[in-house]
Amino acid sequence: MVQQALPARDARLGRAAGATGTVHGVVLVLPGGEPESVRRTSARTAAAVRPLVRHLARAAPEESLVAHVVHYRYRGWNGEAAHPVADTAWALDEVADRYGDVPVCLVGTDLGARAALRAADHPAVVSVAALAPWLPAVGEEPVRQLIDRRVLLVHGTDDRHTDPELSYRLAERAKKVNADVCRFEVHTERHTLRHRRADVQALAADFVLGTLCGRDFSRPLTDALAAPPPLGLRMPLATGFGRHPR
């Protein structure tokens, strides 16, 4: 728990990417961060997820979707304060003010993936994609907020920053209360998923378009959602996923 007096700051939404007319769905992209820090979020953090934002916006030019990066007030999670979760809740309310009653998919990386999973109880949220989620080694994350949401987790098998088994255990617990949970493993990839970025982005876009726009999921995603544990929670992400026919 952060004890010091915190500087007064506001969370904000980054510039919209995607539709310029009527908006029918929103993707909020939640970047990573640090376990403990009340420093202002860095420009580098937002820059790291901009390729994902651009990919998601380009994937659905005719679907009237927009994507925003959420800029947190502080760089850190900060214990029980869980500042990125509160900032995500603010962003979801801001989306409702700007665009009305539209469905939202939360797409988070690292610490932002944990925030996305935590903030899923907001009524606007229909789906959550958690990429390389940063999760605590002690204690259990809540999962009941994921009921009635479609949930995708993706983790590199060689991630040394956050243990991929932690996301498997969370997915396993979530699957018990919600059948619409799946998890993909990216073999030999580490935390940033850098070498398989194109495949991960293609999977995330497939998930977003299926949950926000009603498009059919690709066969691997359909199979992962339908398969019982452990199969649907240890689904290998095929190399060249984005180039495979749907």
Side-chain angles (χ1 to χ4, degrees):
M1 186 76 177
V2 178
Q3 300 294 327
Q4 66 193 86
L6 299 182
R9 297 185 190 133
D10 293 324
R12 63 183 180 87
L13 292 184
R15 183 180 300 175
T20 57
T22 302
V23 172
H24 296 297
V26 174
V27 185
L28 289 181
V29 179
L30 312 178
E34 300 175 11
E36 299 284 340
S37 177
V38 294
R39 296 174 62 192
R40 188 182 301 276
T41 54
S42 69
R44 181 181 300 178
T45 299
V49 295
R50 285 198 187 105
L52 176 60
V53 171
R54 289 193 295 267
H55 183 88
L56 294 174
R58 287 198 302 263
E62 73 280 11
E63 300 286 3
S64 300
L65 295 183
V66 297
H68 291 273
V69 178
V70 177
H71 295 266
Y72 312 130
R73 291 168 295 165
Y74 310 110
R75 194 171 298 193
W77 182 271
N78 300 326
E80 294 180 3
H83 286 122
V85 180
D87 293 344
T88 302
W90 169 86
L92 287 160
D93 289 339
E94 179 68 13
V95 164
D97 288 343
R98 292 191 189 188
Y99 302 115
D101 185 16
V102 297
V104 177
C105 177
L106 299 176
V107 179
T109 66
D110 181 66
L111 175 148
R114 185 183 180 190
L117 292 163
R118 283 277 195 101
D121 58 351
H122 192 282
V125 175
V126 298
S127 55
V128 177
L131 312 180
W134 173 77
L135 297 168
V138 179
E140 289 189 340
E141 285 290 286
V143 295
R144 296 198 64 82
Q145 76 280 5
L146 300 174
I147 293 174
D148 295 329
R149 276 50 173 173
R150 284 173 166 163
V151 181
L152 166 69
L153 295 97
V154 182
H155 218 137
T157 58
D158 290 353
D159 191 335
R160 298 178 183 178
H161 181 70
T162 178
D163 187 350
E165 283 303 302
L166 295 176
S167 71
Y168 175 80
R169 291 175 206 163
L170 183 144
E172 190 176 42
R173 291 172 48 240
K175 190 78 172 179
K176 292 178 180 178
V177 299
N178 176 14
D180 288 329
V181 175
C182 67
R183 178 178 171 276
F184 280 76
E185 294 186 335
V186 191
H187 289 294
T188 73
E189 269 293 343
R190 297 189 180 184
H191 187 64
T192 63
L193 303 169
R194 179 169 60 90
H195 296 100
R196 298 285 305 281
R197 179 179 297 168
D199 294 331
V200 172
Q201 288 180 347
L203 178 63
D206 190 276
F207 180 75
V208 166
L209 295 177
T211 58
L212 290 186
C213 305
R215 288 196 193 179
D216 292 336
F217 290 131
S218 63
R219 180 63 181 272
L221 193 48
T222 299
D223 289 348
L225 285 166
L231 297 178
L233 304 181
R234 294 195 184 277
M235 186 69 68
L237 181 61
T239 301
F241 175 88
R243 299 192 300 273
H244 290 176
R246 294 174 58 84

